[in-house]
Amino acid sequence: MGVFNWPVRLDSMDGERSLEIEAMVDTGASYTVVPATLLRELGVTPFNKITVVLADGRQVEMDIGRAWATINGASEVTLVVFGEDNARALLGAYTLEGLRLAVDPHNHTLIPATTAWA
């Protein structure tokens, strides 16, 4: 698919604070991952812990919270994982699907997703 970044605005659940980031689009990642310090500054609070399998195969427990995500003018509440502070932000499948977006791998862009009904 190739790797590319995409701008994402994250807002606190109360709408009082917002943050603009460039996140690496990663359809292999289940959830959006943002450095923990940025999420705390945004006012996101963890509500649970999840086990995450990292790219190197290690399994670690990480905090998960909720924030508003806005991409291309569309907004939706999404789950965000509190990542390591020195790691890149990742835009995961849960957020993309919630915003009804798909990856166009040839043009390195996000496009409206079509829905298949089985």
Side-chain angles (χ1 to χ4, degrees), residues 52-107:
V52 177
V53 179
L54 302 178
D56 64 7
R58 288 182 296 137
Q59 292 187 12
V60 296
E61 269 199 353
M62 300 178 96
D63 289 328
I64 192 166
R66 293 181 181 92
W68 283 96
T70 302
I71 298 175
N72 298 347
S75 299
E76 186 58 72
V77 173
T78 193
L79 298 174
V80 288
V81 174
F82 288 68
E84 295 180 11
D85 286 330
N86 60 349
R88 292 173 76 175
L90 301 176
L91 181 57
Y94 185 92
T95 302
L96 292 172
E97 289 177 11
L99 289 165
R100 294 164 305 285
L101 293 170
V103 174
D104 176 347
H106 301 293
N107 295 310

Side-chain angles (χ1 to χ4, degrees), residues 39-57:
L39 289 178
R40 287 188 189 96
E41 289 173 5
L42 189 60
V44 176
T45 56
F47 70 88
N48 207 344
K49 288 190 179 288
I50 61 170
T51 301
V52 177
V53 179
L54 302 178
D56 64 7

